[in-house]
Amino acid sequence: MMPATTTYSGFVLMRFMRPASFFVMTALLSSTALPSISLAADTKAAPAASAPAAAEPKPADPNALVATVNGDKITVADVQEAVQTMPPQLRKLPENMILPMLVKQLVDQKTIQILAYKEKLNDNPEVKAAMQRAADNALQNEWLSRQVTPMLTDAAIEEVYKKEYTSKPAEEEVHARHILVKTQAEAEDIIKKLKGGADFGTLATKLSTDTGSAKQNGGDLGWFKKGDMIPAFSDAAFKMKPGTYSETPVQSKYGWHVIQVLEKRQAAVPTLDEVKDKIRQQLIQEDIRKVLTKAEGEVKIVRYNPSTGKPIPDAPAAPAAPAPAAKK
């Protein structure tokens, strides 16, 4: 699975989403002599008894060659950059497998590029347009990265955490189960069975039309907050007391529910580590919007009606509030 991306206003921002392990692997490549791609000269092994203690490997020269294709160079720096695009499962492989694999990939890519230029595919209008789009996207993402990255500080994340988590009162959670049926009459019949002593879980497994895992678990929905469920369901569930079931069917867009509330509790405030990634993505979205709003103020934007070819007038600004009458 490739690293997750954030798409905002047409921009794909992979650099903001790279896991830390990408940078760990890059550091590993930077601090090793890369023996699996034979950057070091071969030497004869000395007898084990007289072998001196192994010296610390020197950092590889980023400009050191690992291969050439028709004279075009592939360097250690190219390999280090390729590591950052590797899927996580491949990065778990031993280094002596990863590095030759990356060099082979880079050689293949360089070979294809050389042959494509030889066939003058770069002069093909469609290919030219695709290359220009790729260049434009790279430029846009780099500009956005330079604007937004300095704003994504630990202090900014902690400020959001305090504002949206620790400073708010604990939210109530409900542990409930339900039976979902198609008609009100079916729901009322289930309520009669419950009043007659029928087991809720048994009825849910047998009669519920819920296609999720709740049906197999006796209708159990687990713990949820009010905003986690649709309003009609949440409003009913959060008004009920633990150990009771709804004596009137609850209608939603999915059908008719009979709800049983098992427990209630105050939700624990999540730790910063638990929500740090979520907050970071929230800040990325907010910061990009701020950056784009500021940027749009520095250029002239004219929108056109494609049917008439005429400019579309800007929306009139909101009228200013009337000044208060002067006191006499």
Side-chain angles (χ1 to χ4, degrees):
M1 186 175 73
M2 293 298 290
T5 62
T6 295
T7 302
Y8 190 96
S9 298
F11 300 104
V12 180
L13 305 170
M14 295 203 51
R15 69 180 61 233
F16 294 124
M17 299 288 289
R18 284 180 186 157
S21 52
F22 274 120
F23 300 103
V24 172
M25 180 59 77
T26 302
L28 175 64
L29 284 168
S30 300
S31 62
T32 177
L34 307 180
S36 57
I37 51 178
S38 303
L39 288 182
D42 290 334
T43 58
K44 293 182 179 180
S50 60
E56 288 293 323
K58 295 181 180 180
D61 179 1
N63 297 317
L65 286 176
V66 296
T68 63
V69 183
N70 273 12
D72 283 6
K73 298 177 181 179
I74 299 173
T75 66
V76 170
D78 295 324
V79 177
Q80 292 170 346
E81 184 177 348
V83 170
Q84 298 185 24
T85 66
M86 290 184 66
Q89 64 267 30
L90 291 184
R91 287 187 277 110
K92 295 177 183 178
L93 294 173
E95 183 183 321
N96 62 357
M97 292 179 63
I98 291 176
L99 300 185
M101 177 178 62
L102 288 179
V103 173
K104 177 65 168 65
Q105 175 182 300
L106 291 169
V107 167
D108 289 345
Q109 291 173 347
K110 183 67 72 176
T111 300
I112 292 170
Q113 291 169 17
I114 288 172
L115 295 179
Y117 276 108
K118 185 177 180 180
E119 295 176 18
K120 299 189 181 300
L121 291 182
N122 53 306
D123 292 333
N124 180 289
E126 292 183 2
V127 176
K128 268 187 173 181
M131 292 173 70
Q132 185 61 53
R133 286 194 298 270
D136 290 344
N137 285 335
L139 187 64
Q140 293 160 12
N141 281 336
E142 182 61 27
W143 185 85
L144 274 176
S145 173
R146 294 187 181 202
Q147 302 298 315
V148 173
T149 299
M151 303 166 74
L152 297 174
T153 63
D154 288 341
I157 292 173
E158 289 175 10
E159 183 179 349
V160 173
Y161 176 68
K162 290 176 182 177
K163 179 181 177 181
E164 298 189 5
Y165 292 91
T166 60
S167 65
K168 290 185 177 181
E171 195 172 354
E172 188 178 31
E173 288 184 321
V174 163
H175 179 197
R177 51 185 180 177
H178 79 139
I179 302 171
L180 176 65
V181 290
K182 293 181 179 179
T183 67
Q184 182 177 0
E186 290 175 286
E188 290 172 345
D189 185 58
I190 288 169
I191 293 171
K192 288 180 183 179
K193 287 183 171 68
L194 290 172
K195 289 181 177 180
D199 179 71
F200 194 101
T202 301
L203 291 178
T205 302
K206 183 180 178 181
L207 302 175
S208 182
T209 61
D210 186 345
T211 56
S213 60
K215 180 178 175 68
Q216 285 71 43
N217 296 325
D220 198 332
L221 298 166
W223 290 96
F224 56 88
K225 297 180 178 66
K226 194 166 187 179
D228 294 339
M229 299 293 182
I230 55 177
F233 189 97
S234 282
D235 289 344
F238 278 81
K239 289 177 183 177
M240 295 168 58
K241 294 180 180 179
T244 64
Y245 56 83
S246 52
E247 298 190 8
T248 301
V250 177
Q251 187 180 19
S252 77
K253 63 180 181 180
Y254 300 106
W256 294 83
H257 306 261
V258 178
I259 305 169
Q260 183 183 44
V261 171
L262 303 174
E263 304 170 85
K264 285 188 175 183
R265 70 182 183 190
Q266 298 300 113
V269 176
T271 65
L272 177 58
D273 284 342
E274 290 173 335
V275 294
K276 193 170 187 177
D277 287 343
K278 179 181 178 181
I279 293 174
R280 192 165 184 268
Q281 296 315 307
Q282 175 186 334
L283 285 176
I284 287 172
Q285 297 293 318
E286 293 174 359
D287 292 343
I288 288 176
R289 184 65 264 165
K290 291 175 186 175
V291 166
L292 291 179
T293 299
K294 182 176 182 296
E296 288 170 0
E298 298 176 9
V299 297
K300 182 179 180 180
I301 300 171
V302 181
R303 294 177 173 84
Y304 291 85
N305 184 327
S307 299
T308 64
K310 295 181 179 180
I312 300 174
D314 291 334
K327 292 183 180 180
K328 295 182 179 180

